[in-house]
């Protein structure tokens, strides 16, 4: 395996060493071994950044070193008295020229007017009107973006596209640190016995292939308890999310949703898909037995565990996926007009977004073989084509 440093640009310190070694008549191989670079890299840099030194007594004859290694006269014993045209290498000159070339190269736009027009016609409407991410458009339209993502961001900064930074959700998002509400209602510690996060880790140590489903709620208006909210369930391995509408943020409505899921999937499929459920300490999850047990047969179908208090990172996947919901329904949006069909539609669009963390595959495609088409139909999740994905409020307009 090649050393990673060998593929990097020469630094200022590297050029100082090159000049010093040239002054002592070291060859390119010895210099390259000293700075851990390729021999050709050193030779190319010397030849590219050498400069001519002439005097009034110069006879305008080129030195023989000009056409053969080391290409400069740094280590020549006749350097001070020679009347030929001498080539020298200086670390200051080489580094300044390198920096200027780098600036000039990066300042030039390597994109034609036709490519700009094509991107503005096809890509810009998707990012402005439907909030498609940069990764999303790169996957769905690779033929229109023949440059890197960092270059795409640079072009957006330069303003050559209709897309602006304000249209990129993650680019302008400013996260304000939340103060933890120590007075809010919490799950009774007694029901958490055997369901602590340490118990979760112990269970996973003996069942590493268990299906983990992270659970949380998303509120609409501030407070959330006075109206509709959402119950979210995320299959951690696949980033596949289910969304259900609750009339109130209360445990009985959470239990109702799970009873509906159990009846639709059947006990065997529910046990396979929801083997482990991981959630926080909200009071809406204060009846874990109703979630774990089939109300008709009394059979235990899954294992529910609670995260440690104020440790949302222990179920960070679902917290991260909530940002897709907030693209469509920003914080402070009323959920009163929403229906369960709206939640199914949102979940279908969110699950169809290709993710970089899944090797540019969507959660729907990643989870399809595990969940199965029959269960997808029962859960009301459909595949949305990349071009048709919409992450704005317009998605839910009747």
């Amino acid at each position: 395996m090649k050393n990673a440093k060998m593929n990097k640009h020469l630094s200022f310190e590297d050029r100082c060493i090159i000049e010093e070694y040239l002054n002592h008549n070291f060859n390119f191989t010895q210099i390259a071994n000293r700075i851990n670079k390729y021999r050709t890299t050193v030779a190319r840099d010397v030849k590219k950044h050498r400069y001519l030194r002439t005097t009034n007594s110069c006879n305008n004859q080129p030195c023989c070193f000009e056409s053969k290694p080391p290409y400069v006269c740094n280590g020549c014993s006749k350097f001070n008295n020679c009347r030929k045209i001498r080539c020298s290498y200086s670390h200051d000159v080489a580094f300044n020229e390198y920096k200027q070339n780098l600036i000039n190269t990066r300042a030039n736009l390597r994109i034609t007017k036709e490519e700009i027009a094509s991107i503005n016609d096809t890509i810009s409407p998707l990012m402005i009107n439907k909030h498609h991410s940069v990764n999303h458009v790169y996957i769905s339209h690779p033929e229109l973006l023949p440059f890197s993502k960092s270059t795409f961001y640079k072009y957006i900064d330069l303003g050559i596209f209709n897309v602006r930074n304000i249209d990129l959700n993650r680019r302008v998002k400013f996260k304000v640190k939340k103060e933890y509400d120590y007075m809010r209602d919490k799950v009774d510690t007694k029901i958490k016995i055997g369901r602590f996060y340490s118990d979760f880790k112990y269970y996973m140590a003996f069942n590493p292939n268990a299906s983990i489903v992270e659970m949380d709620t998303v509120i609409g208006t501030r407070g959330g308890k006075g109206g509709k909210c959402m119950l979210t369930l995320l299959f951690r391995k696949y980033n596949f999310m289910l969304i259900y509408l609750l009339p109130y943020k209360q445990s009985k409505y959470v239990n109702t949703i799970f009873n509906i899921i159990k009846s639709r999937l059947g006990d065997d499929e529910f046990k396979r898909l929801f083997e482990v459920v991981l959630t926080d300490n909200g009071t809406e999850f204060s009846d874990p037995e109703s979630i774990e047990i089939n109300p008709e047969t009394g059979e235990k179908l899954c294992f529910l565990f609670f995260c440690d208090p104020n440790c949302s990172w222990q179920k960070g996947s679902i917290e991260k996926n909530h940002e897709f919901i907030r693209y469509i329904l920003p914080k402070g949006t009323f959920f009163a007009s929403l229906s369960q069909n709206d939640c199914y539609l949102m979940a279908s669009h969110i699950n169809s977004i290709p993710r970089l963390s899944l090797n540019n595959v969507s959660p729907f495609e990643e989870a399809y073989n595990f969940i199965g088409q029959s269960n997808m139909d029962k859960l009301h999740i459909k595949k949305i084509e990349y071009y048709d994905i919409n992450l704005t409020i317009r998605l839910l307009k009747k």
Side-chain angles (χ1 to χ4, degrees):
M1 179 181 289
K2 296 178 181 178
N3 192 314
K5 186 180 177 183
M6 299 184 77
N7 295 318
K8 292 186 177 181
H9 293 202
L10 291 172
S11 65
F12 180 80
E13 291 77 10
D14 292 334
R15 289 184 167 90
C16 290
I17 295 173
I18 291 174
E19 181 184 3
E20 181 182 357
Y21 274 49
L22 286 174
N23 292 339
H24 290 84
N25 289 319
F26 284 88
N27 59 42
F28 290 148
T29 301
Q30 293 170 317
I31 299 174
N33 292 335
R34 170 63 179 82
I35 61 176
N36 196 20
K37 300 289 184 183
Y38 291 111
R39 179 187 182 280
T40 53
T41 300
V42 177
R44 191 184 304 114
D45 192 74
V46 171
K47 199 170 183 179
K48 183 176 182 180
H49 297 297
R50 63 183 177 175
Y51 63 97
L52 297 178
R53 298 183 64 174
T54 60
T55 61
N56 293 333
S57 60
C58 179
N59 58 18
N60 293 325
Q61 293 181 1
C63 178
C64 61
F65 286 136
E66 183 180 349
S67 58
K68 65 179 183 179
Y71 306 120
V72 290
C73 303
N74 283 50
C76 181
S77 59
K78 302 178 181 179
F79 183 84
N80 292 327
N81 300 321
C82 183
R83 298 181 59 193
K84 296 180 180 179
I85 299 176
R86 295 167 293 174
C87 294
S88 294
Y89 179 88
S90 169
H91 66 275
D92 289 323
V93 174
F95 190 72
N96 288 334
E97 287 183 353
Y98 157 76
K99 293 294 289 185
Q100 191 59 48
N101 289 339
L102 202 61
I103 293 171
N104 294 337
T105 301
R106 292 177 175 176
N108 296 330
L109 295 179
R110 298 182 178 181
I111 185 172
T112 64
K113 293 181 179 180
E114 291 75 15
E115 289 175 328
I116 294 174
S118 179
I119 292 172
N120 277 329
D121 291 342
T122 306
I123 303 297
S124 295
L126 297 176
M127 302 185 71
I128 297 172
N129 300 325
K130 296 186 177 182
H131 289 184
H132 286 198
S133 67
V134 172
N135 189 62
H136 186 166
V137 296
Y138 260 83
I139 296 169
S140 55
H141 298 281
E143 73 285 353
L144 296 178
L145 301 168
F147 40 76
S148 67
K149 295 176 186 177
S150 60
T151 301
F152 188 44
Y153 281 116
K154 184 186 78 171
Y155 288 164
I156 292 175
D157 288 335
L158 293 175
I160 67 173
F161 300 136
N162 292 339
V163 181
R164 299 290 182 266
N165 281 322
I166 195 66
D167 300 314
L168 308 179
N169 290 285
R170 297 186 184 181
R171 187 83 164 184
V172 299
K173 185 172 66 173
F174 180 79
K175 185 175 181 180
V176 180
K177 185 177 179 180
K178 291 193 303 183
E179 293 187 5
Y180 184 71
D181 184 7
Y182 291 94
M183 300 302 293
R184 70 186 182 95
D185 296 332
K186 303 175 185 177
V187 174
D188 187 358
T189 307
K190 293 180 181 179
I191 67 170
K192 294 172 63 177
I193 296 175
R195 298 187 177 94
F196 289 104
Y197 191 73
S198 57
D199 299 311
F200 164 74
K201 292 193 292 184
Y202 182 80
Y203 182 89
M204 293 306 301
F206 288 93
N207 302 275
N209 297 321
S211 173
I212 303 173
V213 178
E214 299 179 5
M215 179 168 62
D216 203 353
T217 51
V218 178
I219 62 174
T221 54
R222 190 170 181 82
K225 294 182 180 179
K228 291 181 178 180
C229 62
M230 294 179 187
L231 174 71
T232 55
L233 302 168
L234 182 96
F235 293 85
R236 175 185 285 184
K237 184 177 180 180
Y238 309 103
N239 267 347
F240 184 84
M241 185 162 61
L242 304 175
I243 305 174
Y244 294 95
L245 194 65
L246 304 178
Y248 293 96
K249 192 178 177 183
Q250 297 176 6
S251 61
K252 63 179 181 180
Y253 298 112
V254 173
N255 298 339
T256 299
I257 294 298
F258 270 92
N259 290 336
I260 293 174
I261 297 175
K262 292 171 187 174
S263 63
R264 288 179 180 174
L265 297 178
D267 289 355
D268 293 337
E269 284 299 287
F270 183 86
K271 288 169 65 176
R272 183 177 70 88
L273 299 179
F274 292 83
E275 181 176 351
V276 175
V277 179
L278 181 65
T279 188
D280 57 27
N281 296 269
T283 54
E284 66 272 26
F285 308 124
S286 59
D287 188 7
E289 288 189 356
S290 296
I291 296 175
E292 295 173 331
I293 297 174
N294 186 317
E296 298 178 358
T297 64
E299 180 186 0
K300 188 167 185 176
L301 304 179
C302 69
F303 297 88
L304 188 143
F305 299 97
F306 293 95
C307 296
D308 295 328
N310 203 21
C311 292
S312 59
W313 54 267
Q314 292 175 347
K315 56 177 184 62
S317 297
I318 195 168
E319 299 285 351
K320 183 69 175 175
N321 269 266
H322 283 171
E323 71 179 32
F324 293 107
I325 296 177
R326 291 307 186 184
Y327 292 164
I328 303 170
L329 299 170
K331 288 188 177 182
T333 303
F334 288 91
F335 291 173
S337 61
L338 294 181
S339 65
Q340 182 56 51
N341 287 332
D342 293 329
C343 293
Y344 291 145
L345 181 62
M346 272 196 302
S348 294
H349 279 254
I350 291 172
N351 288 323
S352 299
I353 301 171
R355 311 290 175 84
L356 189 60
S357 60
L358 299 176
N359 294 322
N360 293 329
V361 174
S362 69
F364 182 95
E365 295 166 320
E366 188 74 7
Y368 183 82
N369 291 332
F370 173 70
I371 296 178
Q373 182 61 57
S374 176
N375 291 331
M376 288 287 191
D377 294 337
K378 294 174 183 177
L379 296 172
H380 298 278
I381 303 298
K382 299 179 180 179
K383 175 73 168 65
I384 308 298
E385 295 302 323
Y386 288 167
Y387 186 86
D388 296 324
I389 295 173
N390 192 345
L391 296 181
T392 69
I393 188 63
R394 289 184 289 274
L395 173 67
L396 303 180
K397 286 188 176 180
K398 307 298 190 292

